[in-house]
Amino acid sequence: MIPPYLQQIDGVWWLVEDDRDNLKVSYRIKNVIFSETSSFQHVMILDSYDFGRMLVLDGAVQTTALDGYIYNEMIAHIPLLFHPDPKNVLVIGGGDCGVVRELAKYPELETIDMVEIDQIVVNAALNHLPEVSGNIKDPRLQFHFTDGVQFVKEKKDAYDVVIIDSSDPVGPAEQLFTSEFYQNVYQSLRKDGVMVCQSESPILYAPIMERCYNSIREIFASAHLYTATVPTYPGGLWSFTLGLKQSGGIQQRRQLATPTRYINRGIVESAFHLPEFLHRGGQTPMMLMR
Ligand code: SAM
């Protein structure tokens, strides 16, 4: 059966991403490379005209060959640069494997755990989306195919860095945006621990970003928003929230020293300079559309 988000219009196939009632984003599609319904979601790899291959979950584009590296580099490298000596890293979600591919560039990491609820996403990305996953194979990388919410509950003082690379807060990812979950992430981190999560669009989903930031700020010694522009994500401008366990404010502990396509030393610094609407009165983000 053809899902409602794959539509043929005048003989041309489109993926129509239904972001909200008044916003639908359409991508012209060349081919369906992979399509399977898992216990959690409908997983597709599509080949599109302008964005190349893309991972689509329940009709929502997660990452593409064209710009996936921007998001993945911004969420993977930055937390490592704010930790003095990272050895053990946990990724929650991240099924397209773009984040673990970036982490594998750091020889100083001893273990990389990735807890992804849906093995079908990982297999699809490894087999059909090499532009993002790089077909990653690394002896330090261990996959755990289970719910990240439960997994992290059982970990205490286990990680230096936790990266939450989740899909939007619906279905199994909803819990990945709650205070209780961030509290468990805090406990899973060691003394100098650093966490980061994708905190949605500051333009179109400001309330989610604000909730995320405020919860992390209440639990961690400090929280810091940074942004990048990712063409694939509705609104373009995307936010990330960094949570630091150690008090003393934000301090970059190491310099970027790995090959990358997007991030560089200047971007690491400038990403924390926020637009005016996010940065009124110190570190408090303001909602644009209140
Ligand atoms: N970078 C992408 C974005 O922002 O749209 C998302 C990356 S990745 C594809 C998100 C992954 O989170 C999905 O593969 C999904 O299966 C996984 N996920 C959702 N809820 C989860 C949970 N509770 N535990 C572990 N993984 C989860």
Side-chain angles (χ1 to χ4, degrees):
M1 206 182 74
I2 298 170
Y5 32 82
L6 276 185
Q7 297 177 12
Q8 199 181 26
I9 303 167
D10 295 335
V12 171
W13 282 97
W14 296 86
L15 170 74
V16 182
E17 180 175 333
D18 190 352
D19 190 73
R20 49 166 75 194
D21 282 352
N22 301 319
L23 177 65
K24 317 244 182 274
V25 184
S26 300
Y27 301 83
R28 189 175 170 192
I29 298 305
K30 280 186 198 169
N31 213 347
V32 177
I33 306 291
F34 175 91
S35 173
E36 202 171 314
T37 300
S38 71
S39 312
F40 306 98
Q41 53 212 345
H42 178 213
V43 181
M44 286 193 298
I45 305 283
L46 302 178
D47 194 8
S48 72
Y49 276 87
D50 288 355
F51 287 76
R53 289 197 179 195
M54 45 170 64
L55 170 67
V56 180
L57 300 180
D58 285 338
V61 178
Q62 304 291 307
T63 188
T64 76
L66 183 76
D67 64 357
Y69 65 94
I70 302 177
Y71 171 95
N72 286 320
E73 290 183 11
M74 289 300 279
I75 200 169
H77 293 272
I78 288 190
L80 293 185
L81 302 177
F82 284 84
H83 191 284
D85 186 23
K87 296 265 184 263
N88 308 102
V89 180
L90 172 66
V91 178
I92 299 174
D96 53 72
C97 297
V99 169
V100 290
R101 177 193 192 178
E102 292 305 315
L103 296 177
K105 293 177 179 173
Y106 287 79
E108 63 270 43
L109 297 184
E110 291 171 357
T111 60
I112 303 168
D113 284 348
M114 180 173 131
V115 53
E116 162 62 60
I117 204 163
D118 195 342
Q119 185 165 8
I120 289 179
V121 178
V122 173
N123 290 343
L126 291 175
N127 293 329
H128 304 290
L129 194 57
E131 300 88 342
V132 175
S133 70
N135 276 320
I136 169 87
K137 285 185 191 68
D138 189 297
R140 298 167 298 168
L141 172 59
Q142 197 179 352
F143 291 116
H144 306 264
F145 294 112
T146 184
D147 185 353
V149 175
Q150 295 307 319
F151 184 90
V152 86
K153 255 186 203 167
E154 286 147 29
K155 300 285 174 187
K156 305 276 175 271
D157 294 319
Y159 296 105
D160 301 308
V161 172
V162 175
I163 297 173
I164 304 156
D165 180 16
S166 70
S167 25
D168 297 335
V170 283
E174 203 174 340
Q175 294 298 311
L176 301 177
F177 288 78
T178 61
S179 263
E180 190 192 346
F181 169 69
Y182 298 135
Q183 185 67 57
N184 291 327
V185 169
Y186 182 90
Q187 284 175 14
S188 75
L189 283 163
R190 300 200 182 100
K191 166 168 87 48
D192 289 327
V194 176
M195 69 143 280
V196 72
C197 65
Q198 70 92 351
S199 39
E200 299 281 317
S201 161
I203 308 263
L204 294 178
Y205 289 99
I208 300 177
M209 183 200 69
E210 191 178 43
R211 215 175 48 234
C212 230
Y213 172 85
N214 285 335
S215 306
I216 293 167
R217 192 176 54 164
E218 274 167 24
I219 294 164
F220 283 73
S222 63
H224 308 272
L225 275 173
Y226 63 92
T227 62
T229 298
V230 187
T232 290
Y233 299 147
L237 187 67
W238 211 250
S239 80
F240 304 84
T241 303
L242 191 74
L244 304 178
K245 235 178 151 171
Q246 201 179 55
S247 52
I250 189 158
Q251 201 191 335
Q252 191 177 333
R253 312 296 286 266
R254 289 139 34 92
Q255 282 296 343
L256 185 72
T258 57
T260 51
R261 285 176 75 190
Y262 179 76
I263 197 170
N264 56 32
R265 290 179 180 195
I267 285 177
V268 176
E269 203 182 296
S270 64
F272 288 89
H273 292 287
L274 299 176
E276 230 13 62
F277 71 86
L278 284 179
H279 192 66
R280 290 193 206 125
Q283 281 291 315
T284 309
M286 306 295 283
M287 274 175 60
L288 179 64
M289 295 183 291
R290 205 166 243 152

